[in-house]
Amino acid sequence: MTRDERERGAREGREDTRAGDYAELAAVGPYGVRPGHALITMVEPHPGHEYAYNRWYEDDHYYAGAMAMPWMYAGRRWVATRDLQELRYPEKSAVAQPVTAGCYVSTYWVTEGRYDEHMKWTVGINKRLNRDGRVYQDRTHVFTAFQDHEATVYRDGAAGPRDYHALDHPYAGLVLQVVDADGPGRRAELLEWLRSRALPRRLHGSPAAMVTIFRPTPLPGDRMTYVKQVEGVDTRLTLLWFLEADPRSCWGRFEGLDAEVAESGLGRVELVAPFVPTVPGTDRYVDQLR
């Protein structure tokens, strides 16, 4: 859009959306379907604000603060009722204090190679939402990080949904696992051990169809102040286990992940947390969080 067109639009009372730029932007850069990056955000609504937080997130923020943004092409929300929170371990977690904190987690895929473009938009839109009073303040970000995709391990090889389908496929549960390597120099070794040995062994015959592995990236300096800087950027791996069964029905398969990693000598597990999917547009499970 030229300057004259913008000025004419302003005189006629039309907002300048720079619509002409979209055709140019669409013609350049990566536009594949692989989840090259993810946003994983685990949040605790403050006591007494559970219903209001859920309605704000589902009715407004999930769309205006996430899915409506460029290059964020898939998303899903998950919830941990009190009985699911009580399955979490280890008790002393570097991620959640107490380990039960963070009863909602939202997961989003971002197109590979589009992290920088997406971050510019997300910082800008969240500043605008905050300025316009559309950010719910009575909540705590327990574990919020943009992440780069490292690997996906499948139970059934080439059969079944791929990782880019994972947030649209009707999986019955999710297990969030956070692992810290014993120092930055050992993360690559930890990743290889997980990818080639530990995860294939755990996935075999299990209700988990796949595990996606990500590593966190630092948040930009101009991020919103209510989101703390990411920890463990050089050492941490985040695993998402996608389950075809309710995690309560198969939790025995997820016990001992901390001991398994410790025995490898490569790192330590900081969180293993089960969730079930929310039912969009409803307050299902909200009365079961405490």
Side-chain angles (χ1 to χ4, degrees):
M1 181 180 290
T2 67
R3 179 178 177 180
D4 288 344
E5 288 172 326
R6 287 195 294 271
E7 290 177 349
R8 184 168 64 250
R11 288 194 301 271
E12 295 172 358
R14 291 186 284 109
E15 186 176 0
D16 175 15
T17 62
R18 299 175 63 180
D21 293 347
Y22 286 80
E24 297 179 17
L25 293 171
V28 297
Y31 67 123
V33 300
R34 296 303 305 274
H37 321 277
L39 170 60
I40 302 169
T41 174
M42 187 167 72
V43 173
E44 179 73 10
H46 295 171
H49 293 265
E50 295 85 358
Y51 282 93
Y53 167 78
N54 190 55
R55 290 275 46 86
W56 164 75
Y57 201 100
E58 291 213 335
D59 296 344
D60 190 9
H61 199 63
Y62 177 83
Y63 301 104
M67 293 302 297
M69 296 190 201
W71 308 114
M72 183 170 272
Y73 69 89
R76 198 167 191 192
R77 291 186 75 214
W78 313 81
V79 60
T81 54
R82 189 63 189 179
D83 59 332
L84 288 168
Q85 296 168 34
E86 291 173 350
L87 295 175
R88 296 179 181 180
Y89 66 90
E91 183 178 354
K92 294 182 178 180
S93 167
V95 174
Q97 300 94 32
V99 72
T100 53
C103 53
Y104 284 102
V105 66
S106 297
T107 51
Y108 302 96
W109 291 166
V110 177
T111 300
E112 186 172 21
R114 289 296 193 171
Y115 176 80
D116 291 339
E117 293 93 325
H118 177 78
M119 286 304 299
K120 288 182 181 298
W121 189 286
T122 193
V123 169
I125 199 66
N126 276 286
K127 286 183 176 180
R128 182 181 181 185
L129 290 168
N130 193 57
R131 185 176 64 246
D132 292 346
R134 287 175 62 181
V135 173
Y136 198 84
Q137 301 295 343
D138 289 299
R139 76 200 198 282
T140 298
H141 281 262
V142 177
F143 177 71
T144 293
F146 280 88
Q147 316 237 358
D148 287 342
H149 181 253
E150 286 285 0
T152 300
V153 182
Y154 297 100
R155 180 192 60 200
D156 303 323
R162 302 290 88 190
D163 50 13
Y164 44 86
H165 301 128
L167 302 184
D168 295 310
H169 188 79
Y171 286 114
L174 177 81
V175 174
L176 168 66
Q177 180 184 3
V178 180
V179 186
D180 278 337
D182 284 338
R186 305 210 72 183
R187 184 165 63 181
E189 188 179 357
L190 173 63
L191 172 64
E192 182 56 32
W193 174 79
L194 287 166
R195 178 168 48 190
S196 63
R197 298 177 59 187
L199 295 180
R201 189 166 57 239
R202 283 268 179 174
L203 284 169
H204 181 71
S206 82
M210 72 178 82
V211 182
T212 57
I213 310 174
F214 295 88
R215 58 176 173 83
T217 60
L219 289 169
D222 56 352
R223 71 190 184 280
M224 300 308 295
T225 56
Y226 52 77
V227 182
K228 66 181 181 180
Q229 187 53 272
V230 177
E231 299 173 347
V233 169
D234 297 325
T235 58
R236 185 159 287 175
L237 293 172
T238 305
L239 286 68
L240 299 176
W241 300 69
F242 290 93
L243 311 185
E244 296 172 330
D246 188 306
R248 285 166 287 217
S249 69
C250 56
W251 191 242
R253 287 185 169 270
F254 294 93
E255 294 175 343
L257 289 173
D258 52 348
E260 183 179 39
V261 172
E263 290 169 4
S264 74
L266 298 172
R268 63 193 178 281
V269 167
E270 294 292 0
L271 183 66
V272 180
F275 296 85
V276 293
T278 61
V279 181
T282 76
D283 289 319
R284 188 174 180 182
Y285 303 120
V286 176
D287 60 349
Q288 302 174 42
L289 302 180
R290 308 301 180 195

